[in-house]
Amino acid sequence: MSSQEHTNRIKAAFALLLPSCVVVSNLFFFTPITIYAGNISEFSISLPEVLKCFAIPVLVLMGVFMGIGLLLRRKYFSLLVSFLLALGLLMWVQSSYFVLQHGPMGITDINWSKYVWQSMLNTAMWIVVLSVALFLHRQIVKAAIVVSCSLLAVQFTYLCILTIQEPKLWTKKEEVYKGISPPPELMQFSSTKNVIQVVLDELQSTVFKEFMNENQERYTNDFEGFTFFEEATGAFPTTLMSVPALLSGETYKNHVPIQDFMRSICSANTLPNVLYDHGFKVDMAVPYHWCYNGKWSVFYYIPVPYGLSQEEYDQANADSLLRFSVFRLSPHFLKTVIYKYGVGIPMINLTKGDRQHWEAARHFAHEEFLQDLIDNMQTTRDGPAYKFIHLTTTHWPSVLDENCKYAGHVLPWTWDNIKVQTRCGIEHFLRFLEKLKRLGIYDSSLIVVQADHGYWKIPRSEMEITLKNADKDIPGYFGRDPEYFAEMVCAALPLMAIKPPHSKGPLRVSSVPAALTDIPATVCSLLGIKHDFSGKAVFELKDNEKRKRVFRYYDTLNRSKDKFFRRMDEFHIEGSPFDKASWKFITSYRNPEELSYEVRKLDFGTKEAFHFLNYGWGPDEKDPREGYPFNWAIGESAGLLLSLPKNKETVLTAVLQSFPFDTMQEIKIFVDGEQVGRWELFHPWRFCRKSVAIPSDEKRPDVSHIEFQFSKQRMSMKGERPISVRFKSITIE
């Protein structure tokens, strides 16, 4: 073999090796690290342990690529190299520049209709790039080494920056995350004195009441000695802030960084800490690590999946991260399939299909843990015992069919599917109560079964609950969309039922003005323990008692790196939560890092505009043909937060267009509750420029509420939202 032939073979080998490295490193290295860095707290094993699990798949896939290259004829070799290089380039672009905001992991369904034009553009990009790569493969193969090295260099540089920004990226996880079997003490209950607090995540009181009314005899007997507080209210709409509130009675005001608040609350005056100080063995089984710095005897992070060996558990978590990577790297037209069925590259044969989708795996892990607890419960715990058990079997996503079996994929999170899953979750919990009775400790135990909040942002909530005075306004709060308010009420209605020790008789229903923040005070009162919790003992409340209950609502969750919520609205509920007249708007707690609301021009659909949007707006979108960004106004009204001059007249000019209606769209404009103008839109799908003069007002607040009220709405093509007017920009002069 001549030296020239030898050189050519080496070049050919590198021409195949480096594009293969780009593809494999994006799949198994760069993308998993990027996802892990943004969600460190969501993963139970350390990054080095994850990457160790990828070693064999990396070698296998590289071997496959190199083997195919060696077996191909020379005229097809350049096709393979060009295809791999294009695929690696597309994966990098997809992961870096086509990452859409699908919302926080593990909360609710993805609204795919938001991304129609992005999907079309993304699909076109993949088709064009791959077509060009295959058509010009002879020219592209000559640049394969240089392009591959450049891509790898760019990604390694970004990785170095990421490591500097996230110093915890490569550190080892605490033992609390380890996927081991539950400690024996967790299965052991006291034979004489138990406090058992079970959180069935997101279970709404109205859904529980519906089941109770359908099967009155069964529920009244199985929940013997319990009192169901049908009008109990929560403190927040999601788990993150609700758990500290229900354990301590204290509520967050967006005044300090979220993580600082969590640490300070969990290490201070909480129910577990007080009971620990009074001689209770405190055993906690939870799906999070927030209260790990409190006082406890056993702290068990329920592993997902459940019931695996340590090696299998590490592989399963690596498998889940790899599935997230496949989702992120895939073109949009494949994401719906991957999301629904949990498609990925299996790292481990978990035998059960329900474990191949992360959120389905979380549901079944908690189901399996509860069954394990039922099967192995004993009355051998020394001294009084307190059990805090937080289960997500009634939480999103919907993965069960009518027979309480895995449906094979994630189902839409609708009220019908919610009720199927919730019914199964309650049936399983009733088996836990039956086991307590068989062990002879049910009667003597103080048992709390509750949710942390009601169901959050479920479409058609207005049809699910019956509200009084739904057409009334809440003074000072400018959102008048009935669906928005109904979703807020649902989130404020967690299940709350309590059985005092030695309580007899069928399940009772109480309408006293109870709240989740009353639970610590109630438990201490029933046990005769002195306390300084802020709540009240619920069994001392009267039906018609005048009482103020605090509920703080946010319709946008914080992201993992956010220190504060963008906005949090405080309401006082003085009466029935089902009566809109009982709701009093108090104030809004803004992100203290984003206090300025001064702007000359507001371009909708942009990251900068998000800060000014108050309520009634759809997601950021772009016109598929012309590319300009915009936001739809959703429902009957939409609000903005803007700082306006106080000592001179201001002109507000909007560029907007109406959804097509048979008659004109009328828009009323309010500033801090006072109407300042009215617009009429006659030309649907044609942008109009409309202005309104806002008089000077020396008493105007520093941040004004600008509200637009719309005379017409129509459901969107897929029927998931009522849209009114498309806003392109607003100018303040």
Side-chain angles (χ1 to χ4, degrees):
M1 182 188 300
S2 68
S3 60
Q4 184 60 42
E5 289 177 336
H6 184 69
T7 302
N8 290 339
R9 288 196 176 186
I10 292 176
K11 285 184 178 180
F14 273 98
L16 176 59
L17 176 65
L18 289 172
S20 300
C21 285
V22 172
V23 173
V24 172
S25 62
N26 269 288
L27 181 60
F28 291 101
F29 190 68
F30 293 118
T31 306
I33 291 175
T34 301
I35 295 173
Y36 190 99
N39 303 274
I40 291 178
S41 62
E42 300 292 337
F43 295 101
S44 304
I45 62 174
S46 66
L47 183 57
E49 290 172 313
V50 170
L51 298 179
K52 183 174 66 175
C53 294
F54 292 160
I56 293 177
V58 165
L59 294 175
V60 169
L61 193 57
M62 285 296 295
V64 168
F65 288 152
M66 298 303 291
I68 293 174
L70 291 174
L71 294 174
L72 282 176
R73 295 180 182 178
R74 180 173 296 181
K75 64 179 181 179
Y76 297 122
F77 181 82
S78 60
L79 276 172
L80 175 63
V81 173
S82 183
F83 172 77
L84 289 175
L85 182 60
L87 181 61
L89 176 64
L90 284 167
M91 292 169 77
W92 174 63
V93 172
Q94 185 76 37
S95 177
S96 303
Y97 301 104
F98 278 85
V99 181
L100 302 179
Q101 296 299 321
H102 294 297
M105 182 175 69
I107 298 299
T108 189
D109 292 343
I110 294 174
N111 183 4
W112 298 104
S113 63
K114 292 169 24 179
Y115 307 113
V116 175
W117 75 267
Q118 293 97 326
S119 180
M120 295 170 59
L121 177 62
N122 190 240
T123 302
M125 179 188 75
W126 278 74
I127 292 173
V128 169
V129 172
L130 289 176
S131 298
V132 169
L134 297 178
F135 185 72
L136 301 176
H137 61 95
R138 289 187 179 87
Q139 291 84 357
I140 291 174
V141 72
K142 298 175 183 178
I145 294 176
V146 174
V147 175
S148 298
C149 289
S150 300
L151 279 173
L152 291 171
V154 168
Q155 291 181 281
F156 270 112
T157 301
Y158 174 72
L159 179 59
C160 293
I161 296 172
L162 198 62
T163 300
I164 295 171
Q165 293 175 339
E166 289 289 347
K168 295 182 180 179
L169 189 59
W170 302 94
T171 58
K172 189 176 181 181
K173 289 281 188 179
E174 296 180 76
E175 289 297 317
V176 66
Y177 289 101
K178 286 298 183 180
I180 55 177
S181 299
E185 295 85 356
L186 192 59
M187 307 294 183
Q188 298 169 3
F189 289 71
S190 170
S191 60
T192 57
K193 193 172 187 178
N194 294 283
V195 176
I196 304 168
Q197 186 174 3
V198 179
V199 177
L200 298 177
D201 204 306
E202 210 172 358
L203 204 168
Q204 190 166 308
S205 59
T206 57
V207 175
F208 179 86
K209 185 177 181 180
E210 180 180 326
F211 296 161
M212 182 185 70
N213 291 336
E214 291 173 355
N215 201 339
Q216 192 83 32
E217 183 177 355
R218 167 97 188 276
Y219 271 66
T220 54
N221 291 331
D222 286 359
F223 284 95
E224 178 189 358
F226 273 91
T227 298
F228 165 47
F229 297 91
E230 63 176 347
E231 295 204 349
T233 58
F236 297 95
T238 66
T239 302
L240 179 66
M241 290 291 99
S242 295
V243 169
L246 66 89
L247 289 178
S248 69
E250 301 299 322
T251 51
Y252 180 65
K253 295 183 179 181
N254 221 26
H255 56 301
V256 296
I258 293 170
Q259 293 303 320
D260 292 350
F261 176 80
M262 304 289 279
R263 283 190 291 269
S264 64
I265 285 293
C266 290
S267 60
N269 189 40
T270 66
L271 181 59
N273 292 347
V274 168
L275 293 182
Y276 185 92
D277 291 338
H278 281 79
F280 279 77
K281 299 295 175 59
V282 172
D283 302 335
M284 306 184 75
V286 293
Y288 45 75
H289 65 282
W290 304 330
C291 288
Y292 183 64
N293 59 328
K295 298 178 181 179
W296 42 263
S297 307
V298 170
F299 189 97
Y300 183 59
Y301 178 87
I302 302 173
V304 179
Y306 181 81
L308 304 181
S309 68
Q310 184 64 61
E311 182 180 358
E312 290 174 325
Y313 180 72
D314 290 349
Q315 289 178 329
N317 275 268
D319 177 78
S320 296
L321 182 55
L322 184 58
R323 290 173 190 276
F324 294 141
S325 299
V326 170
F327 179 84
R328 180 166 177 151
L329 291 166
S330 299
H332 292 321
F333 66 87
L334 290 180
K335 287 188 188 295
T336 53
V337 177
I338 294 170
Y339 172 80
K340 185 175 182 179
Y341 294 99
V343 178
I345 301 174
M347 294 283 298
I348 178 175
N349 181 13
L350 298 173
T351 67
K352 292 186 178 181
D354 52 53
R355 285 173 165 171
Q356 297 300 326
H357 191 290
W358 170 257
E359 293 300 343
R362 184 176 67 162
H363 171 89
F364 289 104
H366 284 237
E367 184 179 279
E368 291 167 16
F369 165 74
L370 179 58
Q371 190 58 49
D372 200 6
L373 180 63
I374 293 170
D375 293 339
N376 295 285
M377 289 166 59
Q378 300 175 356
T379 55
T380 56
R381 198 78 159 118
D382 294 332
Y386 167 70
K387 306 284 183 178
F388 182 84
I389 302 167
H390 190 145
L391 303 171
T392 62
T393 52
T394 52
H395 188 276
W396 181 89
S398 177
V399 293
L400 300 182
D401 60 20
E402 293 283 352
N403 299 314
C404 299
K405 302 296 183 182
Y406 182 45
H409 56 88
V410 172
L411 301 170
W413 193 231
T414 61
W415 284 108
D416 288 342
N417 290 334
I418 284 170
K419 291 175 183 179
V420 169
Q421 184 139 313
T422 299
R423 194 186 302 274
C424 296
I426 293 175
E427 287 293 324
H428 201 185
F429 173 74
L430 288 175
R431 295 202 291 273
F432 171 72
L433 294 184
E434 290 170 5
K435 184 61 178 285
L436 291 175
K437 293 174 182 177
R438 290 200 302 272
L439 290 173
I441 58 174
Y442 179 90
D443 179 61
S444 62
S445 296
L446 192 168
I447 307 174
V448 179
V449 55
Q450 62 170 106
D452 46 353
H453 53 87
Y455 290 109
W456 186 55
K457 299 182 76 169
I458 311 301
R460 304 186 187 278
S461 292
E462 186 184 4
M463 308 298 294
E464 182 62 25
I465 58 175
T466 302
L467 297 173
K468 295 180 181 179
N469 297 309
D471 58 336
K472 302 287 186 182
D473 294 336
I474 300 177
Y477 191 71
F478 305 103
R480 292 178 175 144
D481 181 15
E483 173 63 20
Y484 184 91
F485 179 71
E487 291 178 8
M488 186 163 63
V489 173
C490 286
L493 297 174
L495 167 67
M496 179 173 163
I498 301 175
K499 188 196 81 67
H502 307 293
S503 176
K504 305 291 185 182
L507 171 67
R508 293 180 286 275
V509 178
S510 172
S511 58
V512 300
L516 287 190
T517 48
D518 294 326
I519 288 176
T522 301
V523 171
C524 288
S525 175
L526 292 172
L527 296 176
I529 295 175
K530 291 184 178 181
H531 66 89
D532 55 359
F533 291 115
S534 58
K536 293 186 177 182
V538 294
F539 290 100
E540 299 173 10
L541 295 171
K542 297 179 175 57
D543 283 343
N544 298 320
E545 183 170 334
K546 298 284 186 181
R547 191 185 183 205
K548 174 187 71 180
R549 290 174 284 174
V550 177
F551 180 71
R552 298 197 178 103
Y553 186 74
Y554 39 83
D555 61 8
T556 304
L557 271 178
N558 65 308
R559 295 162 298 183
S560 59
K561 294 182 180 180
D562 291 345
K563 294 181 180 179
F564 300 91
F565 289 92
R566 181 178 67 91
R567 169 173 145 255
M568 182 182 288
D569 295 333
E570 179 174 319
F571 297 88
H572 290 177
I573 304 172
E574 301 176 10
S576 171
F578 297 97
D579 186 350
K580 194 173 183 180
S582 300
W583 288 70
K584 315 295 182 186
F585 174 67
I586 305 304
T587 189
S588 290
Y589 299 104
R590 310 288 168 181
N591 182 345
E593 295 182 335
E594 299 178 354
L595 292 178
S596 176
Y597 287 89
E598 294 184 6
V599 66
R600 293 293 300 274
K601 184 182 180 185
L602 184 63
D603 291 314
F604 285 83
T606 64
K607 194 177 295 184
E608 293 74 20
F610 181 76
H611 173 56
F612 300 90
L613 305 185
N614 197 8
Y615 54 82
W617 300 101
D620 295 346
E621 299 182 59
K622 284 188 177 180
D623 184 271
R625 290 171 297 179
E626 300 184 32
Y628 59 80
F630 67 89
N631 290 103
W632 276 111
I634 306 296
E636 297 180 355
S637 62
L640 295 173
L641 296 169
L642 296 173
S643 293
L644 301 174
K646 299 182 182 184
N647 58 357
K648 54 186 174 183
E649 184 180 76
T650 304
V651 177
L652 183 150
T653 302
V655 179
L656 69 173
Q657 61 181 181
S658 175
F659 195 85
F661 297 106
D662 295 335
T663 57
M664 71 173 184
Q665 169 77 268
E666 180 184 1
I667 305 174
K668 295 179 181 178
I669 305 96
F670 293 79
V671 175
D672 298 320
E674 296 292 330
Q675 184 172 348
V676 296
R678 174 178 168 273
W679 297 333
E680 294 177 351
L681 301 183
F682 293 97
H683 304 289
W685 295 123
R686 184 183 302 174
F687 271 114
C688 301
R689 195 179 226 18
K690 295 289 184 178
S691 298
V692 63
I694 303 173
S696 62
D697 184 357
E698 292 290 348
K699 297 181 180 179
R700 177 173 291 140
D702 293 335
V703 179
S704 291
H705 294 262
I706 314 296
E707 183 181 47
F708 304 97
Q709 293 183 13
F710 311 103
S711 62
K712 296 181 177 299
Q713 307 85 43
R714 181 178 293 174
M715 294 302 292
S716 60
M717 295 288 289
K718 295 192 176 182
E720 82 284 354
R721 55 180 184 165
I723 56 181
S724 303
V725 170
R726 178 189 286 192
F727 279 75
K728 185 178 181 182
S729 67
I730 278 181
T731 304
I732 304 294
E733 296 175 328

